[in-house]
Amino acid sequence: MDHAMMETAAETATRLETLQTPCLVLDADKMERNIARLRHRLDGLGVSLRPHLKTAKSVEVARRVMTTPQGPATVSTLKEAEQFAAAGVRDIVYAVGITPSKLGRVQALRAQGVDLVVILDTVEQARMVAAASLASGHPIPAMIEIDCDGHRSGVAPGNAARLVEIGEALSAGGALRGVMTHAGDSYKGGGDAAQQLYAEAERAAVVEAATLLRKAGLSCPIVSVGSTPTAHHAADLTGVTEVRAGVFVFFDLVMAGIGICRVDDIALSVMATVIGHQREKGWIITDGGWMSLSRDRGTAKQAVDQGYGLVCDLDGALYPDIIVADANQEHGILAVRPRSGAMLPDLAVGDRVRILPNHACATGAQHEAYHVVRGSSHQVDARWSRFGGW
Amino acid sequence: MDHAMMETAAETATRLETLQTPCLVLDADKMERNIARLRHRLDGLGVSLRPHLKTAKSVEVARRVMTTPQGPATVSTLKEAEQFAAAGVRDIVYAVGITPSKLGRVQALRAQGVDLVVILDTVEQARMVAAASLASGHPIPAMIEIDCDGHRSGVAPGNAARLVEIGEALSAGGALRGVMTHAGDSYKGGGDAAQQLYAEAERAAVVEAATLLRKAGLSCPIVSVGSTPTAHHAADLTGVTEVRAGVFVFFDLVMAGIGICRVDDIALSVMATVIGHQREKGWIITDGGWMSLSRDRGTAKQAVDQGYGLVCDLDGALYPDIIVADANQEHGILAVRPRSGAMLPDLAVGDRVRILPNHACATGAQHEAYHVVRGSSHQVDARWSRFGGW
């Protein structure tokens, strides 16, 4: 009996009503629909999916979102790379700029047969990776990060001199794998037309970079883009070989706020228990504070501010316009959204609610496990461990 | 050799330069000064300290802040209660309103000889605790939470009818231990005079409640107040028996922003490594993103917004006006504070910085361990585990 089956069996008799709160609940039906939706989309565009596992940090979720048990996959930490490698994943991109002190762990994973690829955007990093590749006799493949929208890291796609210098430095160590970018600005939203422009800008930037490298006589087999909003809006991915995306597996209120999903698609919630009331203020107090919800207030700048989350009943059905209006470490304050005219539900001490998160990556990270349900069932089918750290 | 000594010995050869980043660094000199400062203050006021261990979530830190290895202590989760109980703590207040589904774990700890006290603010909860006390033949002591400032939970101190009804319900089960309150509004700051008013309001509320209960013929041995700002400003605690406070152990930028400590008193930092630059924008990119710093932006509403944290060199010396201006999951963007005129330090890929957190409770929670140094030394004297979860 494998680990997953043991975990499932151990919770056969568990229901949402008997779990300790706060805890993380995952609706597997919604998750599966979210995965199928993007996979269908990318199949139609002729590109492969390299899911970003930083959202899930769970072997069980990874197995359901990856194309094969061996990958491909994207990670944000070497801890993720090591955990997924231990579970059999063999094709991994570590999508945060590499530093000298991390190369040892990268080389150790590669020596175990994991095709772990690093990313970088400076000549210094390229020389360091090439030198380590030559010194060990085992190339460390690297992708050059391209900055498609000024959001964060990366070489400007038109900066041919720097791009080629990095490419040549990597090639000298047999370490050039390709180019990659991330349309971070797409999280700002703007509607379908804006998202199509973000997606095309993402594609164009990385294809331009690949073209520049190839014109300089360098090999650039992988051309990688990725963000959940652009992945759901790209109309054409000519020249792109793979798409990275993470939060689509669960979705969240930030994604719903910019129209990438419906609120009803959100697969993740935090179950909390009512611990008191301040009736004259219209407050219900729960044990779901920011420690379980995270401090993420990603909807604060959106058209509709969801506070620390939207409140559902134990079936996962929304209480219209009831939000977590404020939160302390282990206290959440449920209240009616200002000016909505909604009524506070009649909840007693001990009653339970499920809170949809602003940001699935941040909220998930506060928890040690997913408690898996399907639809409105209160039956907990499994407990899937998750991990944190670096 | 006990666990602490083993952990210490294992890191004898470790220096900050060789740790993987991001990671949590704790300056034990500063921590010890912070603890001594509050202890000296409370000794002068004739009250005992019941430290809130929700900030540290570490047995090693707990042993340094508690008056004795057995306590007293305050916790925010039953997981903390269980972890500290396993380490020998015997006098614990669980300072979040109790629910029916948590009573089993409370009773299990009490059966092990831990004097675990719960809190509540409704008649329903009091009846439930009294009924469980009578049914088991083992009283579950409870304190009634008083709302001194309208901040969160608690009975209004002047609501004599409700207070006495709760007190009588508890007494019927032999379960009334006392009253407690928390001056949550004191975190808004306002200067020394305002803090002295918050402290006096906190004291007055809980002493008034105790007086009402005693006039009704009920026993109220414990009268408990607590917040880090008021603990450092109370001029008189007549009628109070104990003070709870947590974040003072490490302090943070929110506490510095309201004048409770100096920036130089902050004992906690996140070490991060430079992974790139966007020189034309004045950005240095590090691997210290919000996963390691937390999403807490508690200084955003203060006079000086510190972004996601203030940046120090590896010795812990401040780079004046260099902040973490923005953060993604595993990326932090260092930049000069707007309009400060400061210069960005000359840091290369691979160089390391230490980032002072907005909120020690939130930042600490993102990590599995403290790496302990003293002052500007790079020598890591110990690795102290911490835990999360519920």
Side-chain angles (χ1 to χ4, degrees), chain B residues 5-349:
Chain B
M5 287 179 65
M6 283 174 60
E7 286 197 334
T8 303
E11 297 231 7
T12 302
T14 304
R15 294 178 58 81
L16 290 180
E17 291 86 343
T18 57
L19 291 175
Q20 290 285 293
T21 59
C23 68
L24 201 56
V25 175
L26 173 57
D27 183 331
D29 283 348
K30 292 184 179 180
M31 177 186 77
E32 288 166 7
R33 284 199 294 271
N34 295 339
I35 294 170
R37 175 183 164 203
L38 185 60
R39 188 165 289 291
H40 178 74
R41 218 180 174 272
L42 298 185
D43 285 349
L45 291 164
V47 292
S48 64
L49 172 63
R50 180 184 288 281
H52 206 318
L53 304 180
K54 78 184 174 83
T55 309
K57 300 204 185 202
S58 152
V59 170
E60 298 301 333
V61 175
R63 285 181 180 153
R64 284 157 177 86
V65 64
M66 292 187 300
T67 307
T68 81
Q70 291 77 44
T74 312
V75 299
S76 69
T77 65
L78 288 178
K79 173 79 168 282
E80 291 165 57
E82 289 161 352
Q83 293 278 316
F84 293 122
V89 183
R90 287 292 171 270
D91 178 1
I92 304 176
V93 168
Y94 168 44
V96 176
I98 192 68
T99 60
S101 62
K102 287 177 178 145
L103 275 186
R105 290 167 72 188
V106 171
Q107 289 174 308
L109 282 171
R110 291 197 59 82
Q112 292 167 30
V114 179
D115 185 16
L116 179 62
V117 176
V118 301
I119 74 164
L120 50 83
D121 65 357
T122 66
V123 178
E124 304 92 286
Q125 287 165 305
R127 287 184 183 141
M128 168 192 84
V129 167
S133 297
L134 292 170
S136 66
H138 298 287
I140 301 163
M143 296 205 287
I144 305 172
E145 186 171 11
I146 306 300
D147 181 17
C148 66
D149 58 6
H151 180 73
R152 190 167 69 192
S153 299
V155 182
N159 190 343
R162 180 163 157 199
L163 191 62
V164 171
E165 191 178 359
I166 295 172
E168 287 177 341
L170 285 173
S171 277
L176 177 58
R177 180 66 64 91
V179 289
M180 58 85 75
T181 194
H182 167 64
D185 266 4
S186 68
Y187 293 85
K188 294 177 184 168
D192 288 350
Q195 291 296 345
Q196 282 163 14
L197 292 175
Y198 284 129
E200 175 52 22
E202 188 178 43
R203 186 199 72 83
V206 78
V207 169
E208 179 184 353
T211 304
L212 279 167
L213 289 170
R214 288 169 186 150
K215 279 187 183 166
L218 300 168
S219 163
C220 183
I222 306 298
V223 181
S224 179
V225 298
S227 85
T228 283
T230 55
H232 288 80
H233 283 88
D236 169 40
L237 286 174
T238 302
V240 167
T241 64
E242 65 176 30
V243 168
R244 309 177 323 279
V247 79
F248 76 96
V249 179
F250 301 144
F251 280 128
D252 54 29
L253 292 170
V254 166
M255 287 295 113
I258 61 169
I260 312 303
C261 67
R262 300 166 304 156
V263 167
D264 191 51
D265 295 326
I266 300 172
L268 209 60
S269 60
V270 172
M271 184 166 67
T273 302
V274 174
I275 63 171
H277 301 80
Q278 296 287 21
R279 293 187 197 277
E280 66 291 354
K281 293 178 184 164
W283 290 357
I284 297 172
I285 318 279
T286 78
D287 63 4
W290 58 250
M291 188 62 79
S292 60
L293 297 169
S294 91
R295 270 294 202 191
D296 199 288
R297 290 282 288 104
T299 56
K301 293 176 190 166
Q302 293 190 330
V304 179
D305 184 346
Q306 307 285 17
Y308 281 91
L310 259 178
V311 184
C312 301
D313 67 17
L314 207 50
D315 295 351
L318 209 60
Y319 289 118
D321 287 317
I322 306 301
I323 63 172
V324 183
D326 204 353
N328 296 150
Q329 186 160 338
E330 301 291 350
H331 296 78
I333 297 179
L334 313 188
V336 172
R337 186 194 305 283
R339 294 173 298 282
S340 72
M343 292 282 289
L344 205 60
D346 184 23
L347 296 172
V349 169

Side-chain angles (χ1 to χ4, degrees), chain A residues 201-212:
Chain A
E202 190 178 42
R203 186 198 72 83
V206 78
V207 169
E208 179 184 352
T211 303
L212 279 167

